[in-house]
Amino acid sequence: MRLRCAVLDDFQNVATEVADWSPLADDVEVVPFTTHIPDEDALAAALADFDIVVTLRERVPFPASLIARLPRLKLLIASGMRNSVIDYAAAEAHGVTVCGTASSSTPPVELTWALLLGLARGIVQESNALRGGGPWQSTVGADLHGRRLGLLGLGKIGSRVAQVGLAFGMRVSAWSQNLTKEYADEVGVHLAGSKEELLADSDFVSVHLALSDRTRGLLGAPELALLKPTAYLVNTSRAAIVDQNALLTALHEGRIAGAGVDVFDIEPLPADHPMRTAPRLLATPHLGYVSQANYATYYGQAVENIQAYLAGAPVRRLP
C-alpha cells in the first residue's frame, strides 16, 4: 500500500506542478491542501491518515500535542532549514524524521523593495485612481536618492537590501544587537549608535531580524514614536517584532507616512482583521518567499527528501 503525503497550504495549487513528483508515483500518494487548516483539532483530523507531511514555512505549528495525535506520521518536511514551530524533541520521541529544504533570500529582498517603492511613489493609490477614473496625479512621491535607509538587521537579507539602497544613492545605516562596525564597514553602511538613533534619523526603516526573545516586540509604541512623521516602515521579517497594535495606532493617527507589511500576527488574516482596512498601509499576504524559483526548490527538494527517507538515508535533517 502506498504511503500518503499531505502538502499543506498549497494556496495556489501549484506544488505538484512546479516540481516533478513522478519518481514517487509508485510509493506515495500526494494530496495538496489548498486551504489553511486553522486549529489543532482540525489538523489532527485532517492528517490522521497521512504518513508524510510537507509544511510551508512556519505557518503551521507542530507542537508535541499535535505530533502525539498523528500516529501514522513518520516524515515531516519543512520548507527552509530553520523552523521554530516544530517540537523536534517530540518528533524524535514519536519516531518522526524532520527534514528541511534550501530557501533563497532573493525573493524577500525583492519584495522588500517592491513594498518600499510602492509606498514611496504611491503606486497602488495612483494605479487605482487611473483605472477607476479618479484624479490624474493625486500624490507627490518621496525621493530615495539622498535619503536615509535604516536597516534593523544586516544579515543575509538585510545586507542585500543595503546594496540596493546604495545603488539608489541612499545613505544606509544599520543596527542590531550583535552588529559590529567591522561588518557594517564591509557591507558599506553606517553603524548606527543605537536602535533609537537609527529610528530617529531614518526616512525609511526596514526590518530584517530573526524572531527571538530579544527581538519580539522590539518596535513598540515608544520606538515608533521616534520615527519622523514623513518616515515609512517596512516589515517583511516577522510580525511579532513590531507591536501590531502600536503600528495600527501610528497609522490611524498619521504619526508616520506609511508602512509596508508582508507578515501578520495571524495568517491567513481573518476577514475582519484591522490590518485589512488600516490607512497608509501597503500590505501583501506573506509573499516574501513566494516565487517560482523558491517553490521549485521547496517542492523539488521535498521530493528528494522523501526519496532519501524511503531509501533509509534521510537528508537535510532538522534541526
Side-chain angles (χ1 to χ4, degrees):
M1 186 170 64
R2 290 194 302 170
L3 301 177
R4 302 192 76 214
C5 172
V7 181
L8 299 182
D9 292 332
D10 183 17
F11 299 125
Q12 303 93 340
N13 198 21
V14 296
T16 56
E17 297 176 6
V18 297
D20 181 11
W21 294 74
S22 63
L24 302 175
D26 292 338
D27 301 305
V28 180
E29 176 191 2
V30 180
V31 181
F33 285 74
T34 57
T35 58
H36 182 66
I37 303 173
D39 62 73
E40 185 173 309
D41 288 342
L43 274 167
L47 300 179
D49 295 329
F50 287 91
D51 309 274
I52 303 166
V53 172
V54 178
T55 183
L56 190 60
R57 304 304 292 155
E58 296 174 318
R59 180 161 293 115
V60 178
F62 279 83
S65 55
L66 175 59
I67 292 172
R69 298 170 71 179
L70 301 174
R72 278 188 57 168
L73 182 62
K74 295 301 177 186
L75 177 62
L76 177 60
I77 300 172
S79 55
M81 291 302 292
R82 176 192 298 173
N83 193 300
S84 64
V85 298
I86 295 173
D87 188 323
Y88 296 106
E92 182 177 6
H94 288 273
V96 178
T97 299
V98 184
C99 299
T101 73
S103 183
S104 172
S105 62
T106 298
V109 171
E110 294 173 350
L111 184 73
T112 295
W113 280 101
L115 289 173
L116 195 152
L117 289 166
L119 286 168
R121 300 305 296 267
I123 297 298
V124 174
Q125 180 178 337
E126 294 288 3
S127 177
N128 287 343
L130 185 146
R131 293 170 62 87
W136 184 263
Q137 297 182 354
S138 60
T139 65
V140 178
D143 296 284
L144 302 188
H145 186 87
R147 299 296 180 90
R148 174 74 67 183
L149 171 63
L151 301 175
L152 289 167
L154 197 63
K156 186 164 58 174
I157 295 175
S159 60
R160 296 181 67 180
V161 171
Q163 294 303 313
V164 178
L166 293 170
F168 272 118
M170 302 184 79
R171 297 173 295 125
V172 183
S173 296
W175 176 89
S176 71
Q177 291 169 319
N178 296 322
L179 182 59
T180 65
K181 185 177 186 305
E182 289 74 19
Y183 183 68
D185 289 344
E186 181 181 330
V187 176
V189 307
H190 168 71
L191 174 63
S194 66
K195 172 183 64 177
E196 291 75 17
E197 176 188 306
L198 180 136
L199 294 172
D201 289 349
S202 297
D203 300 293
F204 299 87
V205 174
S206 192
V207 180
H208 302 288
L209 295 164
L211 180 61
S212 68
D213 290 340
R214 293 194 304 175
T215 61
R216 188 179 299 274
L218 187 72
L219 298 186
E223 289 78 20
L224 295 177
L226 296 172
L227 293 170
K228 303 173 184 178
T230 55
Y232 296 90
L233 174 69
V234 175
N235 186 9
T236 57
S237 183
R238 290 292 183 270
I241 296 173
V242 181
D243 183 302
Q244 301 294 281
N245 290 331
L247 177 58
L248 283 167
T249 298
L251 292 170
H252 278 283
E253 296 182 357
R255 296 185 198 167
I256 59 176
V261 174
D262 187 49
V263 287
F264 306 91
D265 54 355
I266 303 172
E267 295 186 8
L269 276 182
D272 60 350
H273 196 285
M275 279 288 188
R276 287 187 179 267
T277 55
R280 304 177 181 85
L281 179 67
L282 177 55
T284 49
H286 206 153
L287 300 178
Y289 59 87
V290 181
S291 76
Q292 293 178 355
N294 240 8
Y295 270 26
T297 297
Y298 290 168
Y299 296 117
Q301 291 191 2
V303 172
E304 294 173 1
N305 289 348
I306 295 170
Q307 289 178 295
Y309 174 81
L310 295 178
V315 295
R316 305 184 190 97
R317 298 191 68 162
L318 297 177

